[in-house]
Amino acid sequence: MDTRKLIKKCQRNNRKAQSELFHLYKDILFALSLKYCKNYSEAEDNLQDSFITIFKKINQYNFKGSFEGWMKRITINKAIDKYKKAPLLDVSIDEEKIADTRVDPETLNFPLDELLAFIQELPDRYRLIFNLYELDNYSHKEIANMLHISEGTSKSNLHRAKVILKTKILSSNNYLKKIAISNG
């Protein structure tokens, strides 16, 4: 069945079509949830909440633009809404004192799941801002509006997230190198 027909059936509350839509997009939206949530369980909750909202608001989708993009936006917003309710760290720093956070691609010699784990361990706001800016290409202005913070706070939180990730990456690689040397 083509996507347009499937969406129209979902708009008429057809349970079979809703199930088919869920199975068609659950993996994509779960992977997106994992980027924004602390752990697997939280990502599962976010996925469920996202699909509830998708099915409640599917009549608002007007077949303009990407349907998948529309669902991704709902999924990201669900994750962000959860963190808006919790007290978030609001740290600003002097941008002139920002250290270099670039990582040499050669240091990225470890599994993607480990990098995802490092991202999930970031403090909530750092994780949100890192994902929105680096992985989903939102601007600092857009992030500031979404999270109700200043652009400077968005920039400084992104920097701190990168510093934490760089430290974890380098520590992990040093550990892996020591293991390789002792086994070599």
Side-chain angles (χ1 to χ4, degrees):
M1 177 181 316
D2 80 28
T3 306
R4 187 177 183 90
K5 286 180 184 176
L6 187 60
I7 295 167
K8 287 194 174 278
K9 284 185 176 187
C10 288
Q11 289 174 333
R12 292 190 299 269
N13 292 318
N14 179 304
R15 297 290 182 219
K16 185 177 178 193
Q18 289 174 338
S19 176
E20 191 174 332
L21 186 79
F22 173 79
H23 289 291
L24 189 61
Y25 288 101
K26 68 180 173 71
D27 293 337
I28 293 167
L29 298 181
F30 182 70
L32 184 62
S33 293
L34 274 174
K35 287 187 342 188
Y36 287 91
C37 297
K38 288 181 188 178
N39 55 48
Y40 193 90
S41 176
E42 196 175 285
E44 287 178 322
D45 290 345
N46 192 67
L47 178 69
Q48 181 179 348
D49 292 345
S50 297
F51 269 104
I52 289 169
T53 300
I54 287 166
F55 291 132
K56 280 183 182 177
K57 295 186 175 192
I58 200 160
N59 287 320
Q60 295 175 11
Y61 180 69
N62 58 10
F63 298 94
K64 293 182 181 170
S66 163
F67 180 66
E68 184 176 318
W70 181 79
M71 291 191 306
K72 285 180 175 180
R73 183 75 173 197
I74 288 172
T75 303
I76 291 170
N77 285 337
K78 277 291 168 194
I80 289 172
D81 288 346
K82 180 175 182 173
Y83 294 107
K84 280 183 181 177
K85 294 174 187 173
L88 296 173
L89 186 60
D90 188 12
V91 180
S92 296
I93 58 173
D94 184 353
E95 288 191 43
E96 291 180 17
K97 294 181 181 177
I98 292 178
D100 183 16
T101 55
R102 289 174 288 181
V103 175
D104 181 359
E106 295 298 314
T107 64
L108 295 177
N109 190 17
F110 60 93
L112 184 59
D113 60 337
E114 188 173 341
L115 180 59
L116 179 58
F118 290 163
I119 292 170
Q120 288 175 325
E121 291 171 0
L122 288 170
D124 294 343
R125 184 175 289 172
Y126 294 175
R127 184 178 62 257
L128 289 173
I129 291 171
F130 178 83
N131 286 326
L132 289 167
Y133 187 84
E134 293 294 340
L135 304 179
D136 292 319
N137 299 313
Y138 286 90
S139 70
H140 284 294
K141 184 175 184 174
E142 291 170 317
I143 294 168
N145 288 332
M146 281 184 189
L147 299 179
H148 306 294
I149 59 174
S150 71
E151 285 182 58
T153 299
S154 177
K155 290 176 184 177
S156 66
N157 284 195
L158 174 64
H159 167 72
R160 289 182 185 266
K162 287 180 175 182
V163 167
I164 292 168
L165 289 173
K166 181 177 181 179
T167 301
K168 288 180 182 241
I169 288 168
L170 294 175
S171 295
S172 174
N173 267 355
N174 287 338
Y175 176 72
L176 293 174
K177 286 176 189 172
K178 287 178 187 175
I179 290 172
I181 290 170
S182 67
N183 291 337

